[in-house]
Amino acid sequence: MNDIDEIFEEMREGVRNAPVAVKELKEAGRPIVGTYCTFTPWELINAAGGIAVSLCSTSEKPISAAEKHLPRNLCPLIKSSYGFALTDTCPYFHFCDMVVGETTCDGKKKMYELLDALRPTHVMQLPQTTEHTKSLELWKYEIIRLKEVLEERFDVRITDEKLSASIALRNSINAAALRFYNLSTLPDAVVTGKEIMLVSDYLKFTFDYEKAIASVNALTDRLLENYMEGKRRVNVATHRILITGCPMGKSLEKVVEAIEAPECASTVVGFENCGNLKCAHYKVSEDIPPIDALSEKYLSIPCSVMSPNKERIKLLRHYIKKYRADGVAEVILQACHTYNVESYSVRTVLAGDGAQYIAVETDYSQGDVGQLATRLGAFAEML
């Protein structure tokens, strides 16, 4: 095992040990705040002395339990989220003091009503457009409201100084992530899609933030050195694929595995999904009042729940060009209506640009692995 492999293994170990880390932080008196979405302002939770942790939501295991309360034709991410909470099988939910949700889609906001019976849940009312003159004003009100809720629940005062420090820290985390993701600007692929997902998970589930930043930067440095020495860890003849669409998680690694199977001769060079490029690309301003800065940054996230959602197209075009993607694969979870409807617009725009595109609809089961391999293999042959 070389030093690059050792760093990746340390990151895997960090992700595996995350539940123990959360337990220890809880026992040390740190507030644990569960989150589900990129729209949740991490900086506020951190400034309150809390630990923001992404709750379990990407496995089919608890879905049958969730369907006792939720309709079967609901998005699997929502059913999985609620199922983990209902069965108390998510260690992060088990230890969290409260949950922060957001009104992104109809299914999630109604699920939060049920979730509140299991754990105190504060729901932020997200504007459905960025173009209305009052949208930023409404979102700023929701940011302030969350600040007040956190202060009351945890008996703390969130000062501008604390918020500014938290913003600087989060910007450093995202800068380290983006620096690693931007290895895909090199002429030859440097890492695999599964390794990109690992680094993303590591940054989500490592709560020693300075250590996480240092580890990701050290990994990026070593990968660059290795590349400049003429060594190649990834097949340089592979097609370069950018993934977009619904949030990616452990159960959706099957899509990456199908793309990166030897017969596909392809490598995933980036993820324009929640929690990846869509999060790291946008920096919080450190030159304006912190509440204003948070309001502007988080409202700018180009999620499909926004209507219209022109910024997503801009972001996609930006990374298609920057990472020289040969094709775009959109991953859509069953019953995720916003991404499913928006896929037509994405397909149309990218076709006009001459970019190859495929949309695959799936869930968290492994029953469609063969079908995914067939479809993505045929897509690769077109490139």
Side-chain angles (χ1 to χ4, degrees), residues 31-291:
I32 309 298
V33 179
T35 69
Y36 287 108
C37 184
T38 305
F39 280 108
T40 305
W42 182 97
E43 296 85 349
L44 266 180
I45 296 168
N46 180 260
I51 300 294
V53 61
S54 296
L55 299 176
C56 310
S57 62
T58 61
S59 170
E60 67 173 329
K61 292 179 181 178
I63 285 179
S64 59
E67 287 176 344
K68 295 176 181 178
H69 298 173
L70 300 174
R72 294 188 65 188
N73 63 346
L74 194 61
C75 162
L77 184 147
I78 298 170
K79 291 189 291 184
S80 180
S81 301
Y82 183 67
F84 270 115
L86 190 63
T87 58
D88 196 23
T89 50
C90 174
Y92 311 115
F93 188 87
H94 178 80
F95 292 115
C96 79
D97 298 287
M98 67 176 290
V99 174
V100 177
E102 69 308 309
T103 55
T104 45
C105 69
D106 291 342
K108 283 182 79 176
K109 70 184 183 186
K110 298 306 290 184
M111 183 271 286
Y112 288 136
E113 294 177 12
L114 304 182
L115 197 66
D116 190 51
L118 304 174
R119 198 70 86 244
T121 301
H122 175 78
V123 180
M124 303 181 75
Q125 303 297 317
L126 180 70
Q128 300 297 285
T129 181
T130 59
E131 297 193 352
H132 194 286
T133 55
K134 292 291 184 180
S135 291
L136 184 59
E137 183 179 327
L138 171 60
W139 189 232
K140 180 179 177 179
Y141 170 79
E142 289 298 313
I143 297 276
I144 293 171
R145 188 162 165 259
L146 175 61
K147 173 179 174 289
E148 293 169 348
V149 167
L150 292 168
E151 288 177 326
E152 181 178 358
R153 179 165 296 279
F154 300 126
D155 192 24
V156 295
R157 182 166 174 263
I158 301 173
T159 63
D160 281 357
E161 289 74 21
K162 289 179 181 178
L163 260 185
S164 294
S166 185
I167 286 170
L169 174 60
R170 188 61 172 177
N171 280 342
S172 295
I173 294 171
N174 285 337
L178 197 59
R179 183 168 175 258
F180 170 76
Y181 298 153
N182 281 343
L183 289 170
S184 291
T185 61
L186 294 169
D188 300 324
V190 177
V191 292
T192 67
K194 289 187 73 172
E195 288 170 339
I196 295 172
M197 292 181 76
L198 170 61
V199 170
S200 178
D201 282 346
Y202 176 72
L203 287 170
K204 287 178 188 174
F205 296 108
T206 301
F207 309 106
D208 182 340
Y209 304 119
E210 296 295 347
K211 177 184 176 183
I213 293 167
S215 295
V216 173
N217 279 328
L219 173 63
T220 305
D221 289 341
R222 188 64 194 93
L223 286 164
L224 280 169
E225 290 170 8
N226 187 74
Y227 185 89
M228 295 306 175
E229 290 167 1
K231 301 172 184 176
R232 297 293 180 267
R233 301 175 64 257
V234 181
N235 184 353
V236 299
T238 58
H239 305 300
R240 302 166 67 92
I241 306 297
L242 181 70
I243 290 183
T244 185
C246 291
M248 296 289 291
K250 196 71 177 175
S251 293
L252 293 181
E253 279 189 358
K254 62 184 179 180
V255 177
V256 179
E257 289 170 353
I259 291 171
E260 297 188 333
E263 55 271 25
C264 258
S266 301
T267 300
V268 174
V269 292
F271 295 85
E272 189 276 317
N273 304 79
C274 304
N276 294 88
L277 289 170
K278 196 170 287 186
C279 175
H281 179 82
Y282 299 94
K283 182 180 179 180
V284 181
S285 173
E286 298 181 38
D287 301 323
I288 61 176
I291 292 294

Side-chain angles (χ1 to χ4, degrees), residues 361-375:
E361 189 173 0
T362 187
D363 59 15
Y364 293 151
S365 75
Q366 301 302 301
D368 61 349
V369 168
Q371 182 186 40
L372 286 170
T374 300
R375 289 199 62 207

Side-chain angles (χ1 to χ4, degrees), residues 283-315:
K283 182 180 179 180
V284 181
S285 173
E286 298 181 38
D287 301 323
I288 61 176
I291 292 294
D292 291 337
L294 291 175
S295 303
E296 290 180 5
K297 181 264 168 77
Y298 281 94
L299 192 61
S300 71
I301 296 170
C303 178
S304 66
V305 298
M306 291 295 175
S307 183
N309 189 23
K310 299 172 185 176
E311 290 303 312
R312 182 184 172 207
I313 298 296
K314 291 181 183 177
L315 195 65

Side-chain angles (χ1 to χ4, degrees), residues 310-359:
K310 299 172 185 176
E311 290 303 312
R312 182 184 172 207
I313 298 296
K314 291 181 183 177
L315 195 65
L316 263 174
R317 281 172 155 168
H318 173 79
Y319 281 106
I320 289 170
K321 181 179 180 181
K322 187 166 187 174
Y323 293 168
R324 297 183 313 286
D326 300 306
V328 175
E330 179 151 26
V331 180
I332 303 169
L333 289 172
Q334 290 175 2
C336 183
H337 303 311
T338 56
Y339 271 107
N340 220 336
V341 172
E342 195 168 277
S343 67
Y344 173 77
S345 301
V346 173
R347 181 191 301 271
T348 303
V349 170
L350 296 189
D353 292 347
Q356 298 297 320
Y357 168 90
I358 185 174

